Amino acid sequence: MDYETLDIQRDGGVATVWMNRPDVHNAFNAQLIADLTAACQALDADDGVRVVVLAGRGKSFSAGADLNWMKAAGEASEADNFADAMKLAGMLRALSGMAKPTIARVHGAALGGGMGLASACDICIAGERAVFATSEVRFGIIPSAISPYVIRAISERQAYRYFQTAERIDARRAAELGLAHEAVAGDELDARVRAVVEALLQGGPKSQAAGKDLIRAVANRPVDDALVQDTARRIASLRVTPEASEGLDAFLSKRPAAWVPGQQG
Ligand SMILES: C/C=C/C(=O)SCCNC(=O)CCNC(=O)[C@H](O)C(C)(C)COP(=O)(O)OP(=O)(O)OC[C@H]1O[C@@H](n2cnc3c(N)ncnc32)[C@H](O)[C@@H]1OP(=O)(O)O
């Protein structure tokens, strides 16, 4: 499928989604929001895709919301602004709600909504030139739809600081905060992303999807409720799937598992 603001490369089971508005540092306007929402939904439904990498063409990962678009929205009604905000929320939900594993490949600026996109991916690998910030306060606005993702990524305590100061967060600090899983040299970024992709490809697709669903379910639940309602119920249904049977047979027969995306369980 073709998208006006995205360039999607496929390499076996890996889809790399390049945001492609380099002249404005991949700032997202209504078109990019619509494209990325649709692409996440299409890739998630595609059994040939095992892992999705989100990346940015040009100097930046993403400079967040398109500030020309935001300025124009200042002339629009509150109802129109609410509709816009829901579209932005829909894009983040489409990305974070994917059953497939997602990786943010952050090589440059990831500001405002760009930091939100990185936070909404399951895994974030930051090159040494990566820079993150919740810069919204400098424009008289707030980190709105991105806030649940960013707060989970950096902690509520850190969010009080960064939402209000808009201080820049470099790759090393991003890794300390837990926002990035790794901070790596720029020339090692693609190799590290590939290494994580390879690790993901060794896991069962159904169990990866179930694992993501489990995290969402238990993260904010009391432990006792989570143990019975979420973990026991889920493992009981997963243990009887063909995917679990294949994974366990493969280990016990000392051979690699032959995963069949979309057909297991
Ligand atoms: C709910 C969500 C809210 C948000 O996301 S709020 C927005 C948060 N975003 C930001 O804070 C990023 C603002 N941009 C910058 O700080 C800088 O830019 C960069 C660090 C990304 C890049 O700096 P440099 O390399 O010096 O380039 P340059 O000359 O500033 O930018 C090149 C062109 O890109 C446009 N641009 C950059 N960011 C945005 C944006 N977010 N929306 C619209 N345009 C943007 C500029 O204006 C300019 O354009 P021209 O070439 O016409 O002068």
Side-chain angles (χ1 to χ4, degrees):
M1 207 176 291
D2 285 338
Y3 299 95
E4 194 177 319
T5 62
L6 304 176
D7 170 18
I8 301 186
Q9 288 182 332
R10 296 282 290 264
D11 175 12
V14 185
T16 303
V17 178
W18 293 94
M19 293 176 278
N20 195 19
R21 298 187 76 214
D23 294 351
V24 288
H25 298 265
N26 302 314
F28 39 82
N29 57 1
Q31 186 64 49
L32 195 149
I33 289 172
D35 287 350
L36 189 53
T37 305
C40 290
Q41 290 163 348
L43 293 170
D44 215 26
D46 183 338
D47 287 341
V49 174
R50 289 282 326 269
V51 179
V52 174
V53 178
L54 182 63
R57 291 272 188 228
K59 271 172 67 179
S60 295
F61 175 73
S62 169
D66 187 313
L67 293 168
N68 295 304
W69 176 60
M70 295 289 270
K71 177 82 178 105
E75 314 290 318
S77 67
E78 199 169 322
D80 287 344
N81 273 289
F82 182 81
D84 273 352
M86 289 307 290
K87 286 182 187 150
L88 183 58
M91 172 180 76
L92 291 161
R93 196 178 281 160
L95 175 63
S96 67
M98 289 182 82
K100 318 268 166 82
T102 55
I103 304 173
R105 172 200 180 275
V106 182
H107 69 296
L111 303 176
M115 180 167 167
L117 287 175
S119 304
C121 289
D122 300 335
I123 298 167
C124 173
I125 311 290
E128 65 198 343
R129 296 173 73 91
V131 56
F132 303 83
T134 44
S135 47
E136 287 84 345
V137 70
R138 303 276 170 99
F139 309 117
I141 53 177
I142 51 170
S144 53
I146 68 168
S147 60
Y149 303 99
V150 174
I151 293 167
R152 280 171 174 76
I154 68 173
S155 85
E156 182 180 346
R157 185 77 182 143
Q158 298 294 344
Y160 277 107
R161 171 175 176 171
Y162 290 107
F163 279 21
Q164 296 184 88
T165 63
E167 289 164 288
R168 299 285 169 114
I169 298 168
D170 65 18
R172 193 178 53 79
R173 179 74 181 133
E176 283 170 6
L177 288 167
L179 166 62
H181 290 77
E182 288 181 41
V184 303
D187 58 2
E188 287 174 16
L189 180 58
D190 286 318
R192 286 306 306 154
V193 169
R194 188 70 215 177
V196 176
V197 165
E198 293 298 336
L200 288 165
L201 291 175
Q202 290 175 45
K206 186 175 175 68
S207 54
Q208 280 163 344
K212 288 180 70 164
D213 193 48
L214 180 69
I215 295 166
R216 294 181 198 115
V218 304
N220 296 306
R221 297 256 287 177
V223 170
D224 284 345
D225 287 358
L227 287 177
V228 179
Q229 299 298 332
D230 296 309
T231 65
R233 192 163 46 77
R234 282 177 164 79
I235 189 65
S237 67
L238 271 174
R239 279 171 65 176
V240 298
T241 60
E243 182 166 297
S245 175
E246 166 60 15
L248 295 167
D249 279 352
F251 177 79
L252 295 171
S253 341
K254 303 187 189 306
R255 62 170 174 80
W259 306 122
V260 183
Q263 290 175 19
Q264 306 279 349

